[in-house]
């Protein structure tokens, strides 16, 4: 072949494409492994498989055969949903979308060899890796608290048996006994989540006539998401039943004593008929051990693609990442998963990549059909995922609007779970 400038340029770009598409030139489909089958991981796996139409081998690694969503777990506590209705399996992802689902924990990531070691002793090679392990709890952030202590004072910040335990203890609480919640410091999973939970616990107490009981919230923060809306709702529906105490008043959480059922702050010791302790959080430990996090304990990403700033072959989505202005929510994780899936398909199959757009809405239920919401749209800048427009419910809204907001949340739950697991 005669070498011309054009053929040299052509062979140079073919070489670049070869580097970008390692498995294609080996004659196999490129391999994408997804760690974590929750809001981020299940969505990413589904979009990777669905949109690449068989051009990618997608493997989803997640420990349990079923996944219980944290979203709507507060409605389960409130008696509005069954546990089964918030629990989903991976059968449609396997059967309809051809995703290989492996029920194991990812125990280590070898970033040089591009392999993931699994708890069953096997390992998986990847061309691109999606990491969506959610959060780990920093037990030591609340002195006296531990995994064992959470069997007495549940956190229920990962949905499943902990959520069922919290509900059983709530249902068994005697009238006049108090619930003491230790709320988490920023940043944490689901900013309005603790306060929706307070509303649902107060609802259960009120509905069952246990109005001598109170929910006391010991917060390490001075303010919280949708504060005016929740405070108004508690005053309206649960007068005298909710007491929110910020750090400037209680002076700091000193310790919890699960055996005695007490929470001690600088101000006082609070006796808890039911303790709900939600500790500080970090990215899931697999992200930390793989060196994907910074000193904050969460993982920096490229805002336009969700690519890890530590490793270009890895994408970190959901609660584990640092997503700029986006809150740690299921809606955010689902939105980020679609951006990551598109970027990965672009890199591995040459498909078109559109500019990233993200969105989030967090609905909260205060009392039956009294729903509120907060949300925003986001776009990537060089530094972060930045909010471009936002909205929030207003205090004093009429009952019809609050009912419509609640009904919107029902539609959202049906939609997002179908988007994650396949309808
Ligand atoms: C009480 C409560 C209420 C909430 N309400 C809402 C709401 O109304 N709306 C909303 O949008 N969000 C809500 N959220 C937040 C939402 O649940 C999370 O933000 C979302 O689930 C994060 O998705 P993720 O993919 O990062 O993590 P997850 O959904 O937690 O998924 C992580 C998965 O990874 C698995 N995993 C972890 N480590 C490994 C490993 N090493 N190997 C394999 N698998 C691993 C886990 O077992 C899990 O299945 C709520 C949260 C709480 C606690």
């Amino acid at each position: 072949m005669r070498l011309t400038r054009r053929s040299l340029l052509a062979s140079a770009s073919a070489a670049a494409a070869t580097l970008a598409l390692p498995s294609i030139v080996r004659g196999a489909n490129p391999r994408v492994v997804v760690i974590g089958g929750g809001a981020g991981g299940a969505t990413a796996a589904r979009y990777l498989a669905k949109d690449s139409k068989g051009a990618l081998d997608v493997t989803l690694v997640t420990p349990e055969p079923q996944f219980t969503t944290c979203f709507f777990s507060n409605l389960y506590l409130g008696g509005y949903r069954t546990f089964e209705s918030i629990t989903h399996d991976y059968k449609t992802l396997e059967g309809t979308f051809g995703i290989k689902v492996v029920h194991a924990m990812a125990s280590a990531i070898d970033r040089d060899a591009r392999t993931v070691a699994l708890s069953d002793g096997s390992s998986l090679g990847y061309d691109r890796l999606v990491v969506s392990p959610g959060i780990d709890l920093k037990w030591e952030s609340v002195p006296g608290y531990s995994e064992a202590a959470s069997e007495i004072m549940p956190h229920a910040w990962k949905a499943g048996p902990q959520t069922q335990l919290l509900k059983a203890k709530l249902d068994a609480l005697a009238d006049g006994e108090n619930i003491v919640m230790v709320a988490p410091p920023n940043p944490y999973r689901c900013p309005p989540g603790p306060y929706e939970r307070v509303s649902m616990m107060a609802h259960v107490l009120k509905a069952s006539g246990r109005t001598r009981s109170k929910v006391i919230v010991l917060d390490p923060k001075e303010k919280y998401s949708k504060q005016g809306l929740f405070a108004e709702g508690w005053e309206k529906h649960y007068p005298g039943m909710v007491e929110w105490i910020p750090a400037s008043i209680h002076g700091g959480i000193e310790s919890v004593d699960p055996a005695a059922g007490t929470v001690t702050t600088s101000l006082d010791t609070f006796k808890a008929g039911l303790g709900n302790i939600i500790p500080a959080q970090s990215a899931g430990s697999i992200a930390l051990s793989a060196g994907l996090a910074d000193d904050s304990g969460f993982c920096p990403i490229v805002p336009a693609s969700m690519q890890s700033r530590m490793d270009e072959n890895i994408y970190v989505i959901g609660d584990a990442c640092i997503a700029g202005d986006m809150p740690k929510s299921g809606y955010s994780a689902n939105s980020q998963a679609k951006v990551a899936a598109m970027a990965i398909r672009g890199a591995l199959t040459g498909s078109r990549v559109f500019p990233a757009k993200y969105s989030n809405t967090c609905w909260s239920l205060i009392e039956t059909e009294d729903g509120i919401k907060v949300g925003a749209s986001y776009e990537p800048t060089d530094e972060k995922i930045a909010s471009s427009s936002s909205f929030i419910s207003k205090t004093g809204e009429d009952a019809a609007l609050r009912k419509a907001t609640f009904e919107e949340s029902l539609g959202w739950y049906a939609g997002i779970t179908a988007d994650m697991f396949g309808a």
Side-chain angles (χ1 to χ4, degrees):
M1 181 179 125
R2 197 170 140 245
L3 282 180
T4 61
R5 183 176 147 74
R6 178 179 294 190
S7 65
L8 272 175
L9 284 176
S11 62
S13 64
T18 300
L19 285 175
L21 307 174
S23 295
I24 287 179
V25 296
R26 288 199 298 270
N29 279 344
R31 299 154 306 169
V32 186
V33 173
V34 180
I35 296 178
T43 310
R46 179 164 171 270
Y47 273 76
L48 283 160
K50 174 173 79 67
D51 293 345
S52 67
K53 299 185 169 57
L56 296 174
D57 285 348
V58 182
T59 304
L60 177 63
V61 181
T62 201
E64 306 292 341
Q66 292 188 314
F67 181 80
T68 302
T69 58
C70 282
F71 25 108
F72 275 33
S73 66
N74 286 330
L75 273 64
Y76 159 72
L77 276 186
Y80 296 99
R81 297 286 293 226
T82 63
F83 193 73
E84 292 67 39
S85 77
I86 59 167
T87 301
H88 307 265
D89 65 38
Y90 299 94
K91 289 189 181 131
T92 307
L93 292 187
E94 285 183 292
T96 307
F97 296 97
I99 296 164
K100 187 175 175 213
V101 182
V102 178
H103 293 298
M105 285 295 273
S107 47
I109 299 169
D110 184 332
R111 286 167 38 192
D112 294 327
R114 287 200 228 161
T115 56
V116 179
L118 304 184
S119 52
D120 63 11
S122 64
S123 82
L124 295 165
Y126 64 83
D127 294 307
R128 295 292 184 279
L129 177 66
V130 178
V131 175
S132 190
I135 49 145
D136 265 17
L137 299 167
K138 295 166 84 170
W139 305 107
E140 70 288 356
S141 67
V142 182
Y145 200 52
S146 63
E147 193 164 5
S150 74
E151 293 303 314
I152 301 167
M153 292 178 155
H155 54 78
W157 221 240
K158 294 184 180 189
Q162 274 279 307
T163 323
Q164 291 173 302
L165 181 64
L166 182 61
K167 177 148 181 64
K169 285 181 176 277
L170 171 63
D171 290 345
L173 195 78
D175 190 20
E177 285 185 327
N178 290 337
I179 298 171
V180 179
M181 170 191 280
V182 173
N186 291 322
Y188 64 96
R189 153 177 285 184
C190 196
Y195 313 99
E196 180 185 54
R197 177 176 287 178
V198 167
S199 310
M200 292 296 92
M201 295 198 294
H203 161 77
V204 169
L205 295 176
K206 181 178 151 190
S208 57
R210 287 173 283 169
T211 49
R212 292 192 300 121
S213 293
K214 268 190 195 177
V215 188
I216 299 167
V217 188
L218 300 172
D219 211 317
K221 307 181 292 294
E222 290 302 302
K223 56 182 185 169
Y224 61 88
S225 173
K226 304 188 214 170
Q227 185 162 351
L229 293 161
F230 279 115
E232 178 196 58
W234 295 340
E235 190 54 40
K236 177 177 172 191
H237 300 297
Y238 314 115
M241 291 181 67
V242 178
E243 207 174 311
W244 176 75
I245 308 179
S248 55
I249 306 282
H250 64 67
I253 312 288
E254 291 186 349
S255 62
V256 301
D257 183 338
T262 54
V263 180
T264 300
T265 67
S266 305
L267 177 72
D268 206 350
T269 292
F270 295 81
K271 175 78 182 152
L274 166 54
N276 175 207
I277 313 299
I278 310 169
Q281 293 154 38
S282 70
S285 57
I286 187 72
L288 305 184
S289 62
L292 299 172
D294 66 15
D295 290 346
S296 70
F298 292 94
C299 305
I301 47 92
V302 177
S305 63
M306 303 306 300
Q307 201 167 23
S308 163
R309 291 231 190 241
M310 311 302 193
D311 188 325
E312 62 183 8
N313 298 312
I314 298 181
Y315 294 69
V316 186
I317 58 176
D319 291 352
C321 77
I322 301 169
D325 295 341
M326 295 188 87
K328 297 189 185 301
S329 75
Y331 198 137
S332 296
N334 171 268
S335 182
Q336 293 157 10
K338 293 173 195 175
V339 169
M342 181 171 59
I344 292 169
R345 281 196 304 115
L348 295 179
T349 70
S351 67
R352 196 161 161 202
V353 177
F354 296 92
K357 284 195 185 313
Y358 303 92
S359 50
N360 176 63
T361 304
C362 284
W363 288 268
S364 308
L365 188 61
I366 301 181
E367 171 59 296
T368 307
E369 294 184 341
D370 188 353
I372 54 173
K373 64 180 174 181
V374 61
S377 299
Y378 307 85
E379 286 179 12
T381 66
D382 287 346
E383 290 77 38
K384 66 171 184 174
I385 301 178
S387 169
S388 49
S389 65
S390 63
F391 55 87
I392 184 165
S393 297
K394 301 197 169 29
T395 52
E397 284 172 343
D398 65 34
L401 179 53
R402 290 296 176 86
K403 180 169 187 265
T405 302
F406 168 63
E407 280 164 0
E408 200 179 79
S409 76
L410 299 180
W412 167 78
Y413 187 87
I416 192 173
T417 49
D419 209 35
M420 288 165 64
F421 299 105

